[in-house]
Amino acid sequence: MLKSPIRKVVIVGRDEALWLAANVLWNSFRRTGLEIVAVELPSQLRPADVIPTLRNQQAFHDLMRIKEAPLMAATQATFSLGQRFIGFSESRPPFLHAYGDSGWAINRVAFHHQWVRARAKGLDVPYDDFSLNAMAALQGRFFVPAGDTEGQECDYGYHFDASAYCQVLKQVILESGIGHVAAARLNDVSRDPDSGDITAITLPDGQTVTGDLFVDATGAESLLLGAAMGVPFQSWAQWFPCDRILTTRAAPIKAMPAFSQVTAHHAGWVAQFPLRNRTAVQQVYAGSQMTQQDALDTAARMAATEFAEPVVRSFTAGRRQAAWSHNCVAIGEAAAVFDPIDSCSIQVILTGLSHLTSLLPLDRDMAPEAREYNLNVLTSLERIRDYQICHYKLNQRQGEPFWDRCRAMAVPDSLAYKLRLFEARGHLVEYDDETFLDYDWRAMLIGHGLIPRAYDIVADHLPENELAERLQKMLGFIKTRVQAMKPMDAHFT
Amino acid sequence: METQTPRRIVILGGGTAGWMLAASLVRTFGPHHATVRLIESGDIAIVGVGESTLPQVRDFNEFLGVDEVEFMRETNATFKLAIEFRDWARLGDRYFHPFGSHGHAIAGVPFFQCFLRAKAHGHDFNIDDFCYPSVASREQKFELPSEDLSSIRSTYSYAYHFDAYLYAAYLRRWSEKRGLRRTEGTVVDVTLRPDDGFIQSLTLASGEVVEGDIFIDCSGFRGVLINQALKMGWEDWSSWLPCDRAWAISSDLDDDGTATTRCTAREAGWQWRIPLQKRIGTGYVFSSRFTTEERAREVLLQNLDGAAQGDPRLIKFQSGRRKNSWYKNCIALGLASGFLEPLESTSIYMSQIAVNFLMRLFPGHPVDPALAEEYNRLVDIEYTRVRDFLVLHYHASAERKGDLWHHVQTMQLPDSLAEKMDIFKRRGHIHRYKDGLFSPASWIAVYTGQRIEPGGYDPQADNIDLDSMLGTMNDLRDRIASNVATMPGHYDFVRRHCRLSTKSAKSGKSHA
């Protein structure tokens, strides 16, 4: 029987993790009598920061009753059809990781098998040329996928100005009935000596906030789960060589592209994210290989930055041993810090919130929920980690110590297995709780040059001349569709 | 690069598994890609128990280009919308495991959580009432699902009951017409390559030596290749699934025209009832640890729905699976690779999914061991998930009495199942997974049918206005009931759609 139900949830944190958690939990439980308090710590965002997303996350914005057009207008936002990778190999051309599929299955055989087969016979068309997303992006167009893709899966994400996005989320939720306290820091976290549960937090003015469940949205500091509960951090530094992120800005791009761009350099990479009023720039590098000044100079050379308020922060990729311990659930970076390379941070927050919503504990004794949550969420974090490792492991920049070491590193077994099967047969191993979909994996692996040695032999059933015809038809369809599309800014309202 | 030159594929054994694979290979490869030979001895009976299938079998038939009406006429087939379980948790109990889900999310909250909330407020609904195929099953109705996806009459899938012997024969004709070479013969010797232990050739009783690149072992429990020649071990699951025998028989049709497979719990196992067009296939699956063969035969004969056709036939089996189904250049399918009792009609599915995996990972020259590893991983997931689901039926049999039932009620569960049950018991939460059979709807049907009552429900269900939630539920229940009322009866539909051809009616008679 339930002894002590959950009546009050306290969310402690800042920025997008705090405001997304507050919005999602409030809208999911506002009619249940659940009391929700948001304890807001000072923002760590800088004016140059950008929040890119992997998906359009419409279900969440619907739940929060946030409409796309006004949200985008308020946040200098642009659409993103994918992310382009440049310079990860000396010999291979850039590629676009489209947020959508490439090609179409033929007689139940996945497209990439036919592409590998055609390539072996001399086809010289890149894999991403068969993607509506990629072709639209590269030709300066944008589209909202509807029923006109002949069944090709297509999605899109956004680039938001980080502070403005948080401002919108904050404004919406403060108009609701949620409790809100702003504090400069946490003075103390009290725990029950018997159960180890958090009973209250104390703020600098002496105010204490009690609760039944505490959500840690404090970012990488992990003030509740890490600092107060002592849940250890497991570093992934052996797979992620970058530990500095410098953010700055450059002039806006005239014909705004609907994609972001990541360009490798000798000790990391520089990313450019188009916004309406500027280009957000991230320079991500290894502090041991590059001084801050080098980093700035390199970024300026690669992205024509304006040197406006460059800020450097350190990070270590890794995750907490558990994401939920006792009565404390960590959301976003409080649970896991990712290399910024794949724009997955919002997705990580939303995955956590989605599991929390369907596992909001029934009782103060919440070990069963914590176990189920950790089972799902920790797996999903590791699958993202595996995906990101590939950008480093699969590089083909010879003779640079940073990149040479990455190629030589041993990767986690789960990933080694996946790479082996893809290389052997183009067979994509998909585990439970994958955040990156099958098409994300294929675009990235093939883009980095992991071309399968063999393909599904069922592909051979289709005669070669017929295959050539089908491929031409696909390219023709994409060309026609893309020509009819408008530039991205024509979609802004 | 692997070479993609023609492969010589040898299939040993012509049961359902053997012929499903043979047909797939013939359908997929032209003669310049592969030559396929099937060797079967004419004198081994197919262990076909009047087969009940899952909707996936329709994908398989569609892949081959099989015409549904023709296929049903030739295999004595009827339709299937659900499995009906009787007397499992308690004598007199009855529930359906349907090919469709219960309700739909209300305001973003899973239907089952709404159901639990309604129950907590004293509304004791029957979950079956919210599932279209369950209600149709109860009313003995059938029609093909509507193609209008906005219609409630599209919210289900279906499968078949058919005569497995006739199905294998159908696939055999289909394959032979397209160039498959079948040889009647018995294997007397298997020659392994001395350097790597791969199978090089089979020697038949006729003296013929059959060489090949890939050997498929469909020789049944004996596992002539995988077990006898390659010594691949077997993982025994009989501690969780103690049934190891079945008596099978056919009986005359009665007037129950339901489109369901019925599984009724008995004193030391359970009885199946598979309605075909001209007869009922039935049998009693039991554990020889907890009853005798004589007693089991008696129980079956006392529980026939119509007059017996002939004498019961005894089938012996053991639950478990081959440690590796693919080893070196030999891939075991069907009973040679594993057995799970037919409580959830999974036997054809297991062959089919293995065929799918094999087609996707079909080896070239030389055989890449990575492909075998992945095949075995995928097959393992399938077997383990079905096993856990079967064990749930036995274990959650709260009020059944008898030695078998006492054993399964008190046995130690596989951890993978115990964890799923814990979180369900607490709050009706269904653990989701990517690969393997059984969606949340299946788990909900069996958990509730077996009387596992969650202690609570998702607080998010309380976020919906109670009256409007109940209104939505009542409306759904009424719409299902009124639509089902206008459907034709199942056997009427079968007679109009795909009446058995007279030729098949005769040849089908002798097989249970």
Side-chain angles (χ1 to χ4, degrees):
Chain A
M1 254 355 272
L2 307 176
K3 291 171 298 249
S4 34
I6 303 294
R7 299 188 197 284
K8 185 174 173 189
V9 176
V10 180
I11 310 167
V12 182
R14 50 170 62 97
D15 303 328
E16 69 272 24
L18 170 69
W19 299 120
L20 282 170
N23 272 285
V24 168
L25 294 179
W26 172 255
N27 283 294
S28 301
F29 300 102
R30 65 198 158 100
R31 295 194 201 85
T32 67
L34 184 72
E35 187 187 348
I36 300 176
V37 177
V39 177
E40 179 188 8
L41 299 173
S43 171
Q44 288 177 345
L45 294 175
R46 299 291 183 269
D49 285 344
V50 61
I51 294 181
T53 77
L54 267 181
R55 317 236 189 282
N56 74 46
Q57 59 207 46
Q58 194 186 344
F60 287 97
H61 283 154
D62 283 351
L63 175 73
M64 300 185 275
R65 290 168 289 173
I66 291 175
K67 298 236 182 313
E68 185 178 75
L71 169 69
M72 291 185 71
T75 56
Q76 301 294 342
T78 62
F79 293 109
S80 179
L81 290 167
Q83 188 157 43
R84 190 169 188 232
F85 290 85
I86 301 173
F88 284 73
S89 160
E90 295 156 347
S91 52
R92 293 186 55 78
F95 71 93
L96 203 128
H97 162 207
Y99 300 154
D101 210 347
S102 215
W104 286 263
I106 305 176
N107 302 338
R108 300 177 181 228
V109 177
F111 170 76
H112 69 290
H113 292 292
Q114 295 292 8
W115 179 81
V116 170
R117 177 183 173 214
R119 190 176 177 275
K121 305 283 180 202
L123 173 83
D124 190 23
V125 180
Y127 180 71
D128 37 8
D129 277 22
F130 293 89
S131 153
L132 278 166
N133 269 52
M135 288 300 94
L138 292 173
Q139 291 173 35
R141 313 292 172 103
F142 178 74
F143 69 112
V144 175
D148 50 358
T149 64
E150 295 277 314
Q152 186 171 86
E153 281 184 79
C154 299
D155 195 3
Y156 62 89
Y158 309 101
H159 310 117
F160 296 121
D161 175 276
S163 300
Y165 182 62
C166 291
Q167 197 54 42
V168 170
L169 295 175
K170 178 176 174 179
Q171 203 176 336
V172 170
I173 194 63
L174 292 188
E175 284 163 9
S176 70
I178 198 169
H180 175 229
V181 188
R185 61 179 187 279
L186 294 186
N187 264 24
D188 191 34
V189 178
S190 314
R191 299 180 64 188
D192 184 299
D194 296 327
S195 68
D197 285 1
I198 298 177
T199 52
I201 52 165
T202 310
L203 306 178
D205 62 0
Q207 185 184 171
T208 62
V209 183
T210 59
D212 301 312
L213 176 71
F214 288 81
V215 177
D216 185 345
T218 61
E221 286 178 288
S222 197
L223 291 175
L224 301 185
L225 187 81
M229 315 281 295
V231 174
F233 181 76
Q234 299 176 337
S235 165
W236 291 336
Q238 70 266 41
W239 299 302
F240 294 100
C242 298
D243 58 1
R244 297 281 192 284
I245 173 165
L246 178 156
T247 52
T248 181
R249 54 184 288 162
I253 299 166
K254 271 258 156 47
M256 257 180 292
F259 63 93
S260 59
Q261 186 155 294
V262 176
T263 311
H265 58 68
H266 70 279
W269 47 269
V270 167
Q272 292 155 276
F273 303 91
L275 291 170
R276 299 189 192 181
N277 64 344
R278 67 175 193 274
T279 303
V281 178
Q282 293 179 346
Q283 153 72 298
V284 177
Y285 61 100
S288 60
Q289 312 272 314
M290 238 181 173
T291 63
Q292 190 166 322
Q293 193 57 48
D294 283 348
L296 252 177
D297 294 345
T298 310
R301 211 168 47 241
M302 297 171 76
T305 58
E306 296 166 352
F307 294 109
E309 312 146 73
V311 179
V312 178
R313 275 166 295 188
S314 311
F315 70 93
T316 308
R319 71 161 171 90
R320 296 281 153 187
Q321 211 160 54
W324 183 333
S325 173
H326 294 272
N327 63 337
C328 176
V329 190
I331 294 292
E333 292 207 317
V337 177
F338 286 95
D339 187 293
I341 195 159
D342 286 301
S343 310
C344 62
S345 68
I346 292 288
Q347 201 57 41
V348 171
I349 292 170
L350 294 178
T351 299
L353 288 173
S354 150
H355 285 290
L356 177 56
T357 302
S358 58
L359 284 169
L360 190 86
L362 303 183
D363 190 85
R364 284 293 296 268
D365 172 18
M366 54 185 82
E369 280 89 358
R371 191 178 63 180
E372 181 75 6
Y373 182 90
N374 284 325
L375 197 65
N376 289 303
V377 171
L378 297 180
T379 324
S380 81
L381 298 175
E382 296 198 337
R383 297 295 77 80
I384 296 172
R385 173 203 67 190
D386 287 357
Y387 187 90
Q388 298 200 311
I389 289 173
C390 296
H391 295 299
Y392 297 99
K393 173 71 182 173
L394 299 177
N395 87 81
Q396 289 297 328
R397 292 177 69 104
Q398 312 284 343
E400 292 169 324
F402 174 98
W403 294 105
D404 289 348
R405 259 203 307 277
C406 289
R407 271 197 316 285
M409 73 184 167
V411 300
D413 291 346
S414 49
L415 175 60
Y417 186 68
K418 204 174 233 185
L419 295 178
R420 190 151 69 93
L421 265 300
F422 193 77
E423 191 180 10
R425 179 52 77 80
H427 172 78
L428 184 65
V429 175
E430 290 179 87
Y431 300 110
D432 284 340
D433 301 306
E434 295 270 12
T435 294
F436 289 97
L437 305 175
D438 54 354
Y439 59 68
D440 293 313
W441 279 95
R442 288 192 294 259
M444 183 272 291
L445 294 174
I446 291 174
H448 280 306
L450 192 76
I451 311 291
R453 282 196 312 267
Y455 52 85
D456 186 334
I457 57 176
V458 180
D460 282 336
H461 193 56
L462 184 77
E464 270 175 42
N465 54 346
E466 215 175 299
L467 173 59
E469 258 170 53
R470 297 287 282 266
L471 296 182
Q472 282 311 319
K473 248 178 91 178
M474 290 179 194
L475 293 171
F477 172 76
I478 289 174
K479 193 174 167 197
T480 315
R481 278 285 293 119
V482 170
Q483 267 169 359
M485 292 175 191
K486 295 178 187 150
M488 177 165 63
D489 51 13
H491 293 265
F492 297 156
T493 43
Chain B
M1 195 92 190
E2 296 176 20
T3 57
Q4 312 242 335
T5 50
R7 274 152 283 246
R8 297 167 299 168
I9 302 162
V10 180
I11 303 172
L12 177 62
T16 326
W19 284 110
M20 286 180 88
L21 178 67
S24 285
L25 291 169
V26 169
R27 167 75 179 79
T28 302
F29 299 122
H32 50 297
H33 290 119
T35 58
V36 186
R37 247 188 110 167
L38 187 143
I39 297 161
E40 65 176 332
S41 62
D43 53 13
I44 299 176
I46 291 180
V47 186
V49 287
E51 207 64 57
S52 173
T53 60
L54 301 182
Q56 285 87 343
V57 77
R58 287 166 47 214
D59 294 338
F60 182 79
N61 285 350
E62 194 197 315
F63 169 62
L64 297 186
V66 163
D67 176 74
E68 181 176 81
V69 171
E70 179 197 82
F71 142 79
M72 290 187 75
R73 288 164 61 91
E74 293 193 24
T75 60
N76 200 359
T78 64
F79 292 101
K80 175 185 174 191
L81 287 171
I83 303 174
E84 178 190 350
F85 290 94
R86 287 197 178 179
D87 299 338
W88 278 80
R90 198 183 275 179
L91 282 172
D93 272 4
R94 176 188 190 198
Y95 74 91
F96 294 96
H97 172 195
F99 297 138
S101 43
H102 310 88
H104 48 75
I106 302 176
V109 178
F111 180 83
F112 184 57
Q113 295 297 336
C114 301
F115 173 82
L116 292 176
R117 181 183 177 213
K119 191 165 189 171
H121 282 81
H123 300 271
D124 203 8
F125 290 118
N126 178 349
I127 189 100
D128 291 338
D129 289 343
F130 299 101
C131 184
Y132 198 95
S134 297
V135 176
S137 294
R138 201 167 53 205
E139 303 299 324
Q140 308 191 6
K141 303 290 185 99
F142 184 82
E143 68 188 359
L144 296 171
S146 168
E147 283 171 13
D148 171 9
L149 295 184
S150 65
S151 163
I152 197 161
R153 298 170 93 117
S154 73
T155 57
Y156 59 98
S157 186
Y158 69 92
Y160 313 106
H161 304 109
F162 55 60
D163 179 320
Y165 176 83
L166 294 178
Y167 186 56
Y170 182 87
L171 294 177
R172 175 182 159 188
R173 284 196 300 279
W174 191 94
S175 306
E176 285 184 317
K177 228 186 272 175
R178 288 161 180 82
L180 178 117
R181 184 169 166 213
R182 172 183 178 273
T183 306
E184 217 160 277
T186 338
V187 171
V188 292
D189 193 32
V190 178
T191 308
L192 305 184
R193 295 203 302 238
D195 50 336
D196 57 11
F198 279 44
I199 298 174
Q200 180 174 318
S201 63
L202 311 182
T203 308
L204 306 185
S206 64
E208 189 191 353
V209 174
V210 181
E211 294 202 325
D213 301 309
I214 304 293
F215 291 84
I216 313 289
D217 188 346
C218 300
S219 65
F221 276 119
R222 290 181 305 151
V224 171
L225 307 181
I226 193 83
N227 177 38
Q228 293 174 357
L230 295 176
K231 315 281 183 224
M232 177 51 67
W234 177 268
E235 192 175 314
D236 178 27
W237 286 344
S238 58
S239 62
W240 288 311
L241 296 168
C243 288
D244 57 357
R245 301 271 194 286
W247 284 109
I249 194 169
S250 289
S251 72
D252 291 345
L253 279 183
D254 59 0
D255 51 12
D256 181 341
T258 184
T260 59
T261 303
R262 182 175 303 149
C263 299
T264 307
R266 301 277 179 228
E267 58 187 33
W270 58 278
Q271 182 180 350
W272 76 76
R273 176 191 187 278
I274 294 174
L276 301 175
Q277 290 192 32
K278 291 288 171 193
R279 61 189 174 88
I280 296 167
T282 186
Y284 177 24
V285 173
F286 62 97
S287 168
S288 64
R289 273 171 69 193
F290 298 103
T291 190
T292 62
E293 289 178 6
E294 294 71 34
R295 170 66 191 153
R297 190 175 190 276
E298 204 175 288
V299 168
L300 175 65
L301 293 173
Q302 281 165 5
N303 286 290
L304 297 183
D305 294 312
Q309 298 181 349
D311 289 322
R313 187 160 59 89
L314 185 67
I315 303 163
K316 295 184 180 183
F317 51 78
Q318 186 190 44
S319 286
R321 73 179 159 106
R322 197 64 60 193
K323 283 184 177 139
N324 286 309
S325 293
W326 179 342
Y327 182 58
K328 298 184 189 283
N329 61 340
C330 173
I331 296 121
L333 283 185
L335 299 178
S337 104
F339 178 83
L340 289 162
E341 57 187 81
L343 183 58
E344 281 287 349
S345 322
T346 47
S347 108
I348 293 234
Y349 169 82
M350 293 307 269
S351 293
Q352 183 190 344
I353 193 77
V355 167
N356 282 356
F357 293 151
L358 182 56
M359 299 310 288
R360 222 190 291 164
L361 297 165
F362 210 90
H365 294 304
V367 175
D368 184 339
L371 301 177
E373 190 179 344
E374 176 65 357
Y375 176 87
N376 289 327
R377 185 186 76 91
L378 291 169
V379 168
D380 270 11
I381 291 174
E382 295 287 340
Y383 270 103
T384 312
R385 297 228 152 116
V386 174
R387 177 200 69 190
D388 283 1
F389 195 61
L390 297 185
V391 171
L392 170 66
H393 295 66
Y394 281 102
H395 180 69
S397 55
E399 294 176 21
R400 293 292 312 202
K401 300 278 187 295
D403 294 344
L404 168 87
W405 299 103
H406 178 74
H407 167 79
V408 291
Q409 285 153 9
T410 53
M411 69 187 168
Q412 171 99 29
L413 294 179
D415 291 344
S416 47
L417 175 60
E419 285 168 13
K420 288 187 190 89
M421 288 183 72
D422 282 350
I423 194 73
F424 180 85
K425 283 181 183 166
R426 178 159 169 103
R427 55 187 296 152
H429 183 86
I430 309 290
H431 180 80
R432 283 167 188 272
Y433 45 76
K434 182 170 175 47
D435 296 311
L437 265 185
F438 304 122
S439 65
S442 295
W443 287 90
I444 288 169
V446 174
Y447 278 133
T448 53
Q450 304 273 155
R451 294 182 174 273
I452 297 185
E453 305 264 346
Y457 60 89
D458 267 11
Q460 56 171 334
D462 286 333
N463 205 42
I464 313 169
D465 176 67
L466 183 63
D467 288 336
S468 89
M469 184 188 92
L470 293 170
T472 306
M473 292 176 71
N474 280 316
D475 174 60
L476 175 66
R477 188 184 53 180
D478 294 348
R479 275 195 300 141
I480 290 174
S482 60
N483 275 279
V484 166
T486 65
M487 290 168 77
H490 171 226
Y491 271 72
D492 289 341
F493 187 89
V494 167
R495 272 190 293 272
R496 282 209 316 270
H497 184 71
C498 50
R499 187 197 288 266
L500 181 65
S501 60
T502 30
K503 181 182 66 180
S504 308
K506 277 183 211 128
S507 62
K509 206 110 196 186
S510 54
H511 302 278

